[in-house]
Amino acid sequence: MPLLDIKHLNKHFTDRIGLFRKHDFYAVKDVSFTLERGETIAVIGENGAGKSTLSKMIAGITRPTSGEMIFKGQTLHYGDYRFRAKHIRMMFQDPNDAFDPNYNVGQILDSPLRLATNLTESERNERIFSTLRLVGMYPEHALIHIRETSSSQKQRIALARALILSPEIIIADDTLSTLDFSVKTQLTNLMLNLQERLGISFIYVGQQLGIIKHIADKLMVMHEGEVVEYGKTKDILLNPQSPITARLIESHFGKKLTPEAWGE
């Protein structure tokens, strides 16, 4: 049994165009995939491919039109916030928009603990301190106001907030794209280290094929809401079957990938 089994997931929208016309479209259409414990699947595609809508449905933020999501044999339902928050957490693309600007780091990390657990204040504080250590920060950082933290620290805090409830799955929605190379490398290695230590599964949504080549076990390519390729990352990147995938590869690397160049 896979950790997460997504079966024929759909999200249909209707946009009104003027008073008498409407436009129906699928943001996500008939998407299916599985995720195992300790595995990373990357979801790529051009803008508007449906990647973020898919991730928000899995996180419980957006209601699916149809389809089934099964976590450890249990069907997930829209509105099961308390259950899903403990098991599937999400890191958003821009942490500046994800944090309450009036809070310090400790208050940000304390919020999910107060909402989803029955831990005492001292137990919550200990969880906050230990989670900060996990992401390479110190307990003293809990007292720092979020507005006084750097971009790198904000991403570490976002990761800490995702980890704070000890989830099995973390969805990272293009979280590393705005960082410089050295910080991006540090955070990528941190996520891989935490995955090895804690057995976390990641769903990485984004366009950073250099990172994806390094971290993802499986790759899913989306176009206009549909899956055009799905399989092992190395197989797809070395031998793309869809022109969409080939275009994304050449756009990022500037060339086709070969087995000889794979380790570069």
Side-chain angles (χ1 to χ4, degrees), residues 112-205:
L113 293 175
R114 285 189 290 102
L115 291 170
T117 75
N118 295 316
L119 296 176
T120 65
E121 183 177 356
S122 62
E123 289 171 334
R124 297 199 311 271
N125 286 337
E126 184 53 43
R127 179 76 68 88
I128 290 167
F129 299 154
S130 64
T131 305
L132 284 171
R133 292 188 189 99
L134 268 180
V135 299
M137 300 181 76
Y138 297 103
E140 293 78 10
H141 282 108
L143 300 176
I144 297 176
H145 199 283
I146 192 62
R147 286 179 297 201
E148 298 172 2
T149 57
S150 66
S151 295
S152 172
Q153 287 174 325
K154 282 187 175 73
Q155 288 290 9
R156 290 176 186 268
I157 295 160
L159 180 56
R161 184 171 63 176
L163 289 165
I164 199 77
L165 295 176
S166 302
E168 287 93 335
I169 298 171
I170 292 179
I171 303 169
D173 189 0
D174 208 14
T175 54
L176 304 176
S177 61
T178 59
L179 302 175
D180 63 45
F181 179 77
S182 62
V183 175
K184 194 180 298 183
T185 302
Q186 290 172 19
L187 286 172
T188 300
N189 290 333
L190 173 60
M191 291 168 71
L192 288 171
N193 178 262
L194 289 170
Q195 184 174 48
E196 185 175 347
R197 290 171 59 186
L198 304 175
I200 296 170
S201 300
F202 284 99
I203 300 173
Y204 183 82
V205 180

Side-chain angles (χ1 to χ4, degrees), residues 42-52 173-174 204-209 212 219-229 242 244-245 247-249:
V43 185
I44 68 171
E46 298 163 325
N47 292 336
K51 307 183 300 294
S52 290
D173 189 0
D174 208 14
Y204 183 82
V205 180
Q207 303 283 25
Q208 299 292 312
L209 284 179
I212 288 166
L219 180 62
M220 187 165 71
V221 185
M222 295 185 67
H223 177 66
E224 295 183 351
E226 298 185 74
V227 175
V228 295
E229 289 204 60
S242 166
I244 302 295
T245 311
R247 186 164 63 243
L248 290 170
I249 292 169

